[in-house]
Amino acid sequence: MNARPIILGVVGDSAAGKTTITRGLVRVLGEEHVAHICTDDYHRYDRKQRAELNITPLDPDCNYIDIMAQDIARLRAGDAILKPVYKHQDGTFGPPVYVKPERFTIVEGLLGYHLPEMRDAYDVRVFLNPPEAIRRQWKVIRDCSRRGYTTDQVLSELDRREADSEAYIRPQRRHADIVV
């Protein structure tokens, strides 16, 4: 790759619409011009381990934040990375994948603006902030239809995550160039 890629960040709480908006951007910009990274892939623990440890994926300690920051910096520099893979369908990890930056590189996830060096790597930082009632509804629909949870399980998990959302996710809003 010749020119430095344009790095776009899309951050927000669980089920805020990050993947949906990212898919739309990929279609608009052209798949051949976009590399896509999901920072959920940097979870330190699988779903079973998180339950045993009573930690949510919103907590930075539940993620390899340092490796995430290094990989974002490498992509910005035009270097390829070997990215971990987290499988939302069953909460386990898959084999890593080779990702090379393209003209546009979109980094989406929960904690993309957590560290200053991560924030500095983006050309544009977007924070998705839908009304809470709508986000909760989207999470119930998605997690029940695609991830095998019951409505009660999703609502209970949302309540359990609230403190971490307040402590770690929402504060990133202040680092966004655009809040949607």
Side-chain angles (χ1 to χ4, degrees):
M1 144 146 226
N2 295 339
R4 181 183 70 74
I6 295 170
I7 309 290
L8 170 66
V10 179
V11 169
D13 209 336
S14 181
K18 298 177 300 292
T19 301
T20 301
I21 199 167
T22 297
R23 284 184 186 141
L25 287 167
V26 169
R27 280 195 296 274
V28 167
L29 297 169
E31 282 188 42
E32 68 279 9
H33 301 294
V34 181
H36 169 235
I37 304 297
C38 180
T39 60
D40 291 357
D41 290 323
Y42 292 83
H43 289 339
R44 185 181 301 264
Y45 308 111
D46 66 22
R47 190 176 293 160
K48 183 176 181 288
Q49 292 169 316
R50 289 194 310 265
E52 291 167 358
L53 296 167
N54 193 29
I55 190 171
T56 78
L58 285 63
D59 187 328
D61 290 341
C62 187
N63 296 271
Y64 290 111
I65 295 287
D66 54 344
I67 297 170
M68 187 189 311
Q70 288 172 11
D71 282 356
I72 294 169
R74 290 190 62 187
L75 290 166
R76 180 177 173 89
D79 297 330
I81 62 168
L82 192 60
K83 183 187 71 58
V85 172
Y86 176 77
K87 300 187 303 184
H88 281 286
Q89 299 81 1
D90 63 8
T92 63
F93 297 103
V97 296
Y98 183 80
V99 177
K100 64 182 185 70
E102 296 295 342
R103 180 71 190 117
F104 301 99
T105 298
I106 301 174
V107 179
E108 61 129 324
L110 297 167
L111 294 163
Y113 309 152
H114 184 70
L115 298 176
E117 59 266 32
M118 295 163 79
R119 295 189 292 267
D120 293 344
Y122 298 100
D123 294 292
V124 179
R125 293 181 302 266
V126 176
F127 187 88
L128 298 183
N129 191 36
E132 188 62 12
I134 292 173
R135 185 185 72 83
R136 289 173 70 93
Q137 183 180 19
W138 288 345
K139 184 157 176 66
V140 168
I141 292 166
R142 182 197 67 196
D143 287 4
C144 291
S145 66
R146 293 189 213 147
R147 298 184 181 173
Y149 290 101
T150 66
T151 299
D152 286 344
Q153 287 173 319
V154 177
L155 293 174
S156 174
E157 182 67 9
L158 277 165
D159 291 342
R160 193 173 83 78
R161 291 177 170 205
E162 178 55 31
D164 285 349
S165 181
E166 183 65 32
Y168 307 118
I169 305 303
R170 293 182 197 131
Q172 295 176 96
R173 178 176 41 215
R174 72 177 177 266
H175 302 296
D177 300 308
I178 303 166
V179 176
V180 179

